[in-house]
Amino acid sequence: MAKRGEGADFVEALARGLDVIECLGTAARAMSLSEIATASDLARPTARRLLLTLAELGFVRVTGGSYDLTPKVLRLGMAYVGSTGLWDVARPHMEDLVRTTGESTSMTQLDGSDIVYVARVAVPKIIAIRVEIGTRFPAVVTSQGKVLLAALDADALDATLRIPSRAPGVAVPSVDVDRVRGQLATIREQGWALADEELAPGVRSVAVPVHDASGRTVSAMNVTVNAAETSVETLTQVYLPALVRTAAEVSADWALLQGRPQSEVSAVR
């Protein structure tokens, strides 16, 4: 559920509507009114009114007695991505990377203990998991998540690892915090992270950080391959250097964009 505010201007109805959207998003399937009311901790009549309102606005689809989200919900996430200018900056570089490697590349950002995909250029290859903009996975089992966790200080890392994952349909392993700290120290030093079939069998990826104008890690970029087709050696010795160059180009262009007057930034977008 959305965190409840205590200020006089807090709008409870909006918070409840967001609870419903989040509930449907994490379920990854159509849900009944009773299921939504229970998961959102709402009375059935309240849940029903919110669902019908969201349906009228085009964010929810009603099929028989079940409810699920429509693609229009993606506009909410893409509004955030677009507001940063990240996708506009990254897209041509990511497309060049895909042409170089013949493999898919994505960018993610950290949301709690999960990564969320904010940009992707895919190739039509068989991979064991489906990924699209807005997809969420536990950070600790992904290369991009490890890169983003490695950028946190000790207190922020401990707090982040205590947050339950909201990734639907993914088993989250128990976290050995000391082991994770050691792994992240290595990643921080070498500047990249590998995930070898940790998220799902057959999925292998390498990731590097993307920085803003101040040098802060704000996103991660990866190359994902089918483990049966591409070895760790090829991924780290051939694809990783290309990925490092691409992330550096995106970081440089993004820093340049951030340094421009707002009127010029808007014109570029």
Side-chain angles (χ1 to χ4, degrees):
M1 293 178 57
K3 182 178 179 181
R4 292 300 186 252
E6 298 178 354
D9 294 327
F10 184 79
V11 182
E12 182 70 25
L14 176 59
R16 290 176 175 176
L18 293 173
D19 285 342
V20 170
I21 290 176
E22 186 173 2
C23 171
L24 287 169
T26 56
R29 63 175 178 84
M31 299 176 69
S32 68
L33 173 59
S34 296
E35 290 175 326
I36 295 167
T38 299
S40 303
D41 195 22
L42 296 171
R44 279 174 55 94
T46 301
R48 179 178 179 275
R49 288 196 300 271
L50 291 169
L51 286 163
L52 293 179
T53 299
L54 291 169
E56 188 170 340
L57 293 172
F59 293 108
V60 167
R61 179 187 299 109
V62 184
T63 306
S66 298
Y67 303 82
D68 61 351
L69 297 177
T70 72
K72 187 176 180 180
V73 173
L74 290 174
R75 295 184 187 177
L76 301 177
M78 291 308 296
Y80 166 71
V81 175
S83 71
T84 67
L86 177 59
W87 171 233
D88 290 329
V89 168
R91 177 169 48 194
H93 297 292
M94 294 173 71
E95 290 172 345
D96 286 344
L97 179 62
V98 169
R99 281 190 287 269
T100 298
T101 64
E103 304 290 352
S104 299
T105 181
S106 304
M107 293 184 70
T108 66
Q109 294 182 322
L110 201 60
D111 181 21
S113 62
D114 297 328
I115 57 167
V116 177
Y117 283 71
V118 298
R120 180 167 172 79
V121 179
V123 296
K125 289 193 174 184
I126 298 176
I127 296 291
I129 54 175
R130 178 181 176 183
V131 176
E132 55 193 20
I133 302 301
T135 294
R136 174 185 295 271
F137 291 130
V140 292
V141 293
T142 67
S143 61
Q144 296 186 91
K146 292 175 185 180
V147 164
L148 295 169
L149 292 173
L152 302 178
D153 62 32
D155 290 340
L157 175 62
D158 289 344
T160 298
L161 293 177
R162 286 196 295 268
I163 301 173
S165 171
R166 294 188 286 123
V170 179
V172 184
S174 58
V175 176
D176 182 333
V177 177
D178 289 334
R179 184 186 66 81
V180 169
R181 284 200 191 101
Q183 187 181 51
L184 295 180
T186 300
I187 291 168
R188 196 176 301 117
E189 181 177 352
Q190 68 187 16
W192 56 273
L194 174 73
D196 190 7
E197 301 188 84
E198 296 174 48
L199 177 62
V203 179
R204 179 174 288 157
S205 69
V206 66
V208 298
V210 175
H211 304 106
D212 66 7
S214 68
R216 182 173 60 100
T217 296
V218 290
S219 184
M221 179 184 294
N222 79 344
V223 171
T224 302
V225 300
N226 186 321
E229 298 177 354
T230 305
S231 66
V232 171
E233 289 71 22
T234 297
L235 184 59
T236 57
Q237 296 176 18
V238 179
Y239 296 163
L240 176 58
L243 175 63
V244 170
R245 289 193 299 271
T246 300
E249 292 166 355
V250 172
S251 297
D253 283 359
W254 198 8
L256 178 63
L257 185 67
Q258 288 179 304
R260 295 182 184 180
Q262 185 59 43
S263 59
E264 292 184 22
V265 172
S266 299
V268 171
R269 295 177 190 169

